[in-house]
Amino acid sequence: MPLPSLLLVTVAAVATLLPRFTAAARLAAACDDTADADLGQLGQPCLGGGLLGHGTCPMLRVQDEFGEIFELNMRCYDNADNARKAASGTNGTCYVAHQKRCVQSVPGYEACGGCRGSTVCRRFSYDKFASGGFITTHRESYCINPSDQKDRELHFLGQLVHLVFEHTSTNSR
C-alpha cells in the first residue's frame, strides 16, 4: 500500500510547482507579446554599422509609465553575443543600449525592457541639482548592469545626481 501515498505526494508536489511554471511561462509570453505590441521595433533584425553602432535600427519614441515621451536609444547588437555591437554590415538585433533609458513593457519585470545583453531595465527615483539651487526629482528606468555599483548609483548621469533609489524586482526571466 505505499504506492498510493507516494502517488499522493507526487500529485501534491506537482500541484504546488505547476502554478510557478505557469506563471513563468505567462511572464515570458507577456514580455515578448507586450514588447512586440508596445515597443514595436525592439528585437527586430538589423544590419550593424553607422554612427555609435545604431546600424539600421529605427528611431522609436515611447511613453513611460509616468506619461513622459522620449526616444529609445537602440543599437544593433551581434546575434551571437547580444552584449556586443554588430560589426558593420553584419546581421544583428535592435536592443536598447547600456546606460540608456528604457521602458518595462510589463511593469516590475526588469527583463521586459528590451535592453542589450548583460543588462536589465531597472526603475529609479533620484534627485538632481538644477540651476538656481533647485532640486528636481526624477522617476525613470535605465538599462544597467545590475552587478556594477556605479551603474546602480547612476554615475553615468553626472555629478548632479544624488539620493538614488533603485526599484529592484525579484521577478526576472
Side-chain angles (χ1 to χ4, degrees), residues 18-136:
L18 188 58
R20 294 181 192 163
F21 291 129
T22 305
R26 276 197 308 269
L27 171 60
C31 288
D32 295 340
D33 293 346
T34 307
D36 290 343
D38 294 346
L39 302 180
Q41 311 302 319
L42 282 172
Q44 85 167 22
C46 57
L47 283 177
L51 184 62
L52 299 175
H54 290 280
T56 58
C57 293
M59 299 297 205
L60 184 62
R61 294 179 59 80
V62 296
Q63 185 173 4
D64 68 14
E65 66 258 37
F66 305 109
E68 184 179 349
I69 296 173
F70 66 97
E71 193 168 282
L72 286 178
N73 188 330
M74 294 192 298
R75 297 191 180 151
C76 187
Y77 289 92
D78 190 286
N79 286 332
D81 178 4
N82 64 2
R84 196 180 79 209
K85 291 179 196 154
S88 184
T90 62
N91 292 325
T93 305
C94 295
Y95 293 108
V96 179
H98 178 225
Q99 299 179 340
K100 301 301 179 187
R101 285 193 63 190
C102 55
V103 176
Q104 293 177 349
S105 60
V106 176
Y109 292 91
E110 296 180 334
C112 297
C115 297
R116 70 136 167 107
S118 301
T119 63
V120 297
C121 182
R122 182 156 299 166
R123 289 180 57 216
F124 291 91
S125 299
Y126 64 93
D127 289 343
K128 188 172 186 178
F129 291 110
S131 61
F134 291 99
I135 295 176
T136 57

Side-chain angles (χ1 to χ4, degrees), residues 7-21:
L7 182 60
L8 287 176
V9 171
T10 304
V11 169
V14 169
T16 303
L17 294 174
L18 188 58
R20 294 181 192 163
F21 291 129

